[in-house]
Amino acid sequence: MKVFCGRANPTTGSVEWLEEDEHYDYHQEIARSSYADMLHDKDRNMKYYQGIRAAVSRVKDRGQKALVLDIGTGTGLLSMMAVTAGADFCYAIEVFKPMADAAVKIVEKNGFSDKIKVINKHSTEVTVGPDGDMPCRANILITELFDTELIGEGALPSYEHAHRHLVQANCEAVPHRATVYAQLVESRRMWSWNKLFPIRVQTSRGERVIIPPLELERCPGAPSVCDIQLNQVSPADFTILSNVLPMFSVDFSKQVSSSAACHSRQFEPLVSGRAQVVLSWWDIEMDPEGKIKCTMAPSWAHSDPEELQEEPVVQGLALCLVAYHDDYCVWYSLQKTSPEKNGRAHPVRPVCDCQAHLLWNRPRFGEINDRNRTDQYIQALRTVLKPDSVCLCVSDGSLLSMLAYHLGVEQVFTIENSAASHRLMKKIFKANHLEDKINIIEKRPELLTPADLEGKKVSLLLGEPFFTTSLLPWHNLYFWYVRTAVDQHLGPGAVVMPQAASLHVVVVEFRDLWRIRSPCGDCEGFDVHIMDDMIKRALDFRESKEAEPHPLWEYPCRSLSEPQQILTFDFRQPVPLQPIHAEGTIELRRCGRSHGAVLWMEYHLTADSTVSTGLLKPAEDEGDCCWNPHCKQAVYFFNTTLDPRAPPGSSQTVTYTVEFHPHTGDITMDFTLSDALDSGC
C-alpha cells in the first residue's frame, strides 16, 4: 500500500506530495538510528555483561529464580546475555514495532525463544498477573535508557513506573547507580553559542557597533543542554574554575522519583574568572560495590555544556552550584547560598523568552559571533557597495542588512518570511536605532511586489545564505530560487552576493563515525545479522540512500583524497531549466579505510572571497581534517562491508555521478569504490 506524504522542500521552498510506502516512517527511523553504533561499543557491552552476570549470581545465591525485566530491549542483546548468565526467564520490552519484530527473530535465531518473551509495548503499558504480559514481578531490572543528559529519554518515569508495578522491592538493577558530575568553566567559544556578541564595524563615519537587545542579554537561553563531543574542544578554549563536583546520584535498585528536585554543592573557585558554562557528564555503576563502571569523564567524549547567566567568581570565595532536574531535563544555576536557605529549591525549567534561541540554534550563534567570518563579509561588501545601492537581503535572521547599512547603502530591505524571525530582527534593529533605516518585508520572496520595494529596483541582492529549514549543505541553494523569483525586481547590472556556489567532496576514513553504518554480524557471541539485514533494507528507501548531515568537527576523520570541486552554481543567472550533471573519478592519495565521501558547499562572495561550510584549510600530512564548526557537512557512507579489524588498506579510486535537479532542488549522487580493501598500500 502506498500513501501520500507532504514534504516542505528546503531547497525550492515549495510543498511537495510524494508517494511513499506505508511503512516509510519506520524505515527512516531504522535507517537513521544508531543501533549499530551501540552494538559496536565493546566496552559498554562487556560492562553490561559483567553487571548482568553479577546480578543473576546474587539472585541465585539467595535461592531465588532469576526473573529479568529488560526495558528498551532493542535487539534483545541484554536479555540474551541474561539467559546465558543463568536467568530463568526474561521479559524484553520494546515499544518500536519493527525493532520488536527484529528482536523476536534474533532471539529465535540464537535459540532463546523458550526463555525470552518480547513484548511490543511501552513499559508503562505492561501488565502483571495471571492474564497479564508477565505472570509475576521481576527481581532483576535491566535497562539502557540513557542519553547524554542521562534522563532525557524518559529514564526517570520509566524506572518510577517499573518499581511501582513491574519489579519486586529491593530488586537487582543493571545498571545499579548513576552519578551526574559538573565542572564550572569560563569559555568564550562555548559562551558564543548562547549569546550575541557586539559586532564592531569600521566605516567612513567612524566605528559602528551592533549590539544585542537587552532582552536577549537577560534571556536564560535554550532550555536544552548543548550535546557535543567535548573531547574535540581544545583545552585552550576554556579555563577551569572549579574541581569536578558530584552533583547527584540515582539508585536504580530502589524506588525512583521523576518529581522535580534540586541538588547543591558548595565549592571554592580555583581561580577568579567569569562563570559561563557548566560541563556535565555522568557515569554508571553496574553493581552495588561500584567495581564495574562505565564512565564518560576521562575523554570528555559525551559531555553536555550547559550555559549559565554569566557570573563573576573570585578565587577562594565559596559558592553553590545547583543542579535541578525534572522528569526529562537537567539544568544548573550558580548561587551564593544553597537553595534550601534562600527558598528557591524548585524553580521552573528555563525557557527562551527573547525569540533568538528559538530561531538560532547554538551553531548559528557561533557562526554569527565568528569575527573572521564577519570580516570576510564586510570586506566583500566593501567591493560591491555603492552609495546609491538599493540592497535586498535574503537570509533568515541575518545581520547582513545591518552591515550593509553601516557600510553606506542608501536603502536596505530584508525579507523575513516567518513571524518569529520578523519579531527578532525588529528587536535587534530597534536596539541599534535602525528600525526606521531598514525595511523588513514579511512575506515569501515569490510574492514580492514593486510596492514592497517602494517602486525601486534592487541593485544588490545579498545573502549569506542561511535558512533555518536547511538540513543538508546544498539546501541553502534556496537562495538561488529566491534570486530567480525576484529577478523582475533586479535593476540593470544588479550585483548578486554571493555570486556563485560550488559543491566539494573528499573521501575520508572516520575514527568512530563509521560504526553507525557498519554491519555488526556477531555481537559478544550473539548472532545479530537480522538487525544488519533490517537496516540494509531500510537503507534501500529513497531518502535513506542520500547523504546525511553530521557536525564533523566532533567526529575526527582523515582525508584519503584531495578535496575536489564537482558542481558549480552561478547565482548571477536564474536557476537553469536543465539538470547540472557531473561524473568523474577521485584518486586516493593516502592509506586507510574508505568509509565515505564528505560533501560541503563553498560560497563565492566575490571573485576573490570564498566562505567554506566544510574544510577550512588543507589537510595535514596525515590527512587530519579541520571542519567548519558552525555547519553540518553531508556524509555519504559507501555501500560496502568493511571489517575494521582487517589490516589497513586503500581503495585506488572512487567513481562518482552527481546531478542537481532544478525542478526539485534535489542533488542525487552515487559513489562506487574500486579495489576496496587493497591491504598492500
Side-chain angles (χ1 to χ4, degrees):
M1 177 180 173
K2 299 288 186 178
V3 296
F4 281 99
C5 298
R7 184 183 75 161
N9 188 309
T11 309
T12 65
S14 62
V15 176
E16 302 170 343
W17 288 91
L18 305 172
E19 190 178 54
E20 302 288 5
D21 183 275
E22 63 178 320
H23 299 304
Y24 170 75
D25 287 341
Y26 282 173
H27 288 292
Q28 293 303 297
E29 182 71 20
I30 294 166
R32 300 298 190 213
S33 72
S34 295
Y35 288 114
D37 187 31
M38 292 190 290
L39 294 176
H40 282 293
D41 189 341
K42 287 197 167 293
D43 180 67
R44 164 194 170 274
N45 295 341
M46 292 311 300
K47 295 293 177 58
Y48 261 97
Y49 214 163
Q50 292 170 19
I52 289 169
R53 286 194 192 102
V56 171
S57 294
R58 288 193 297 274
V59 171
K60 293 285 190 178
D61 289 345
R62 295 196 292 265
Q64 302 174 355
K65 284 187 174 182
L67 303 177
V68 174
L69 174 64
D70 175 9
I71 298 179
T73 194
T75 60
L77 176 65
L78 300 184
S79 286
M80 292 189 293
M81 287 180 175
V83 171
T84 304
D88 294 279
F89 203 86
C90 293
Y91 300 94
I93 315 300
E94 177 55 53
V95 69
F96 185 42
K97 189 176 188 309
M99 197 68 250
D101 293 342
V104 170
K105 295 175 183 177
I106 291 171
V107 166
E108 181 180 5
K109 176 77 172 177
N110 286 273
F112 296 114
S113 294
D114 61 331
K115 291 289 187 76
I116 299 174
K117 178 183 179 181
V118 178
I119 302 171
N120 180 209
K121 288 184 176 181
H122 194 283
S123 64
T124 57
E125 298 172 345
V126 172
T127 57
V128 176
D131 299 320
D133 300 303
M134 302 167 54
C136 62
R137 292 182 177 230
N139 54 14
I140 300 177
L141 175 58
I142 300 174
T143 64
E144 214 294 8
L145 300 173
F146 314 116
D147 64 353
T148 53
E149 202 174 351
L150 183 68
I151 64 173
E153 292 185 5
L156 294 183
S158 296
Y159 272 109
E160 184 175 43
H161 177 271
H163 276 285
R164 286 180 178 172
H165 302 287
L166 305 178
V167 297
Q168 300 173 17
N170 299 315
C171 70
E172 300 290 342
V174 182
H176 180 83
R177 182 187 302 106
T179 302
V180 174
Y181 300 89
Q183 189 166 35
L184 194 65
V185 304
E186 175 181 338
S187 172
R188 177 178 174 82
R189 179 181 179 186
M190 287 183 273
W191 190 241
S192 76
W193 301 339
N194 189 55
K195 296 294 180 181
L196 181 61
F197 294 168
I199 298 174
R200 301 182 182 279
V201 186
Q202 300 298 328
T203 75
S204 59
R205 296 166 291 174
E207 183 180 76
R208 296 291 184 267
V209 182
I210 298 173
I211 61 172
L214 189 60
E215 187 178 353
L216 197 158
E217 283 288 283
R218 293 174 174 172
C219 180
S224 60
V225 299
C226 180
D227 177 11
I228 65 165
Q229 303 284 345
L230 194 57
N231 60 319
Q232 298 307 313
V233 177
S234 169
D237 284 333
F238 59 90
T239 300
I240 293 174
L241 301 180
S242 77
N243 290 317
V244 174
L245 305 172
M247 297 306 300
F248 64 91
S249 295
V250 182
D251 185 338
F252 297 125
S253 68
K254 299 178 181 178
Q255 181 63 57
V256 172
S257 173
S258 62
S259 300
C262 76
H263 312 267
S264 63
R265 292 291 180 270
Q266 190 175 56
F267 71 98
E268 291 187 1
L270 301 176
V271 297
S272 299
R274 293 173 295 173
Q276 296 172 323
V277 178
V278 173
L279 309 182
S280 180
W281 65 91
W282 49 265
D283 63 30
I284 52 177
E285 296 170 359
M286 298 297 183
D287 61 324
E289 296 79 20
K291 295 178 180 179
I292 309 168
K293 181 182 291 188
C294 284
T295 179
M296 309 299 127
S299 65
W300 303 91
H302 300 286
S303 299
D304 307 323
E306 172 85 16
E307 291 88 359
L308 300 167
Q309 287 298 94
E310 182 178 281
E311 297 284 351
V313 298
V314 179
Q315 181 179 4
L317 184 62
L319 294 168
C320 275
L321 183 63
V322 187
Y324 305 91
H325 73 78
D326 54 20
D327 47 353
Y328 282 91
C329 287
V330 178
W331 64 97
Y332 293 88
S333 72
L334 192 62
Q335 301 180 18
K336 293 182 179 179
T337 59
S338 67
E340 291 81 5
K341 294 181 179 179
N342 60 30
R344 296 168 55 191
H346 299 290
V348 295
R349 185 191 307 177
V351 176
C352 170
D353 54 19
C354 75
Q355 302 293 319
H357 301 90
L358 304 180
L359 184 67
W360 298 334
N361 59 19
R362 290 182 173 95
R364 177 59 174 166
F365 266 99
E367 186 172 59
I368 293 173
N369 287 323
D370 186 331
R371 183 68 216 188
N372 292 332
R373 180 179 182 273
T374 299
D375 286 344
Q376 271 192 275
Y377 281 92
I378 290 174
Q379 294 306 317
L381 278 169
R382 292 187 197 279
T383 67
V384 298
L385 290 181
K386 298 178 181 178
D388 60 350
S389 292
V390 176
C391 178
L392 175 63
C393 295
V394 184
S395 281
D396 290 346
S398 175
L399 304 186
L400 283 184
S401 59
M402 303 175 73
L403 296 179
Y405 175 79
H406 285 311
L407 292 173
V409 170
E410 178 181 277
Q411 192 160 12
V412 183
F413 300 89
T414 182
I415 294 178
E416 300 290 348
N417 60 26
S418 79
S421 61
H422 188 169
R423 287 194 296 269
L424 174 61
M425 297 313 297
K426 192 172 181 179
K427 292 176 185 177
I428 295 176
F429 293 164
K430 185 175 182 180
N432 289 274
H433 309 291
L434 297 176
E435 65 268 35
D436 298 327
K437 309 295 184 182
I438 301 175
N439 298 297
I440 306 177
I441 302 171
E442 188 185 350
K443 61 170 51 176
R444 294 187 59 82
E446 63 269 21
L447 302 178
L448 199 66
T449 66
D452 294 321
L453 299 171
E454 300 176 5
K456 298 182 178 180
K457 289 290 185 179
V458 173
S459 58
L460 174 61
L461 180 63
L462 184 61
E464 298 188 33
F466 170 83
F467 301 99
T468 56
T469 54
S470 297
L471 298 175
L472 291 164
W474 46 87
H475 286 167
N476 283 322
L477 286 175
Y478 176 57
F479 176 76
W480 202 8
Y481 288 83
V482 172
R483 179 259 178 270
T484 303
V486 303
D487 188 64
Q488 61 180 313
H489 301 293
L490 303 182
V495 174
V496 180
M497 188 185 115
Q499 65 180 25
S502 51
L503 179 66
H504 296 250
V505 66
V506 67
V507 177
V508 302
E509 174 187 46
F510 287 110
R511 181 191 300 175
D512 299 303
L513 194 60
W514 60 270
R515 298 168 190 246
I516 69 173
R517 291 293 170 267
S518 179
C520 187
D522 178 274
C523 182
E524 313 311 328
F526 302 101
D527 185 345
V528 295
H529 279 93
I530 291 169
M531 178 67 188
D532 296 336
D533 294 341
M534 183 175 71
I535 293 176
K536 185 178 184 301
R537 287 194 301 273
L539 288 169
D540 286 338
F541 274 66
R542 177 182 52 81
E543 283 194 8
S544 303
K545 291 181 181 178
E546 298 176 355
E548 54 192 70
H550 290 282
L552 292 188
W553 74 271
E554 297 185 54
Y555 300 100
C557 61
R558 295 173 54 245
S559 63
L560 303 184
S561 72
E562 295 302 317
Q564 192 163 317
Q565 178 177 305
I566 53 177
L567 289 180
T568 58
F569 313 93
D570 188 353
F571 295 162
R572 293 168 296 187
Q573 303 297 324
V575 175
L577 299 177
Q578 300 302 317
I580 302 175
H581 179 89
E583 56 185 61
T585 300
I586 304 171
E587 293 187 10
L588 303 192
R589 306 288 187 179
R590 297 183 181 90
C591 298
R593 292 285 167 190
S594 303
H595 290 139
V598 177
L599 301 101
W600 68 94
M601 298 291 289
E602 295 190 359
Y603 294 101
H604 309 289
L605 306 183
T606 64
D608 303 317
S609 180
T610 296
V611 173
S612 173
T613 67
L615 285 176
L616 295 182
K617 61 182 181 180
E620 305 290 340
D621 291 341
E622 294 299 315
D624 293 336
C625 298
C626 177
W627 299 103
N628 186 326
H630 312 310
C631 307
K632 289 184 178 181
Q633 293 73 40
V635 180
Y636 183 103
F637 289 98
F638 293 149
N639 185 21
T640 182
T641 301
L642 296 179
D643 180 0
R645 296 163 295 183
S650 172
S651 302
Q652 298 302 301
T653 59
V654 175
T655 58
Y656 66 85
T657 301
V658 180
E659 189 164 296
F660 169 70
H661 304 272
H663 180 67
T664 62
D666 291 336
I667 293 182
T668 55
M669 62 192 69
D670 182 68
F671 292 85
T672 305
L673 285 164
S674 64
D675 300 323
L677 290 176
D678 175 15
S679 59
C681 177

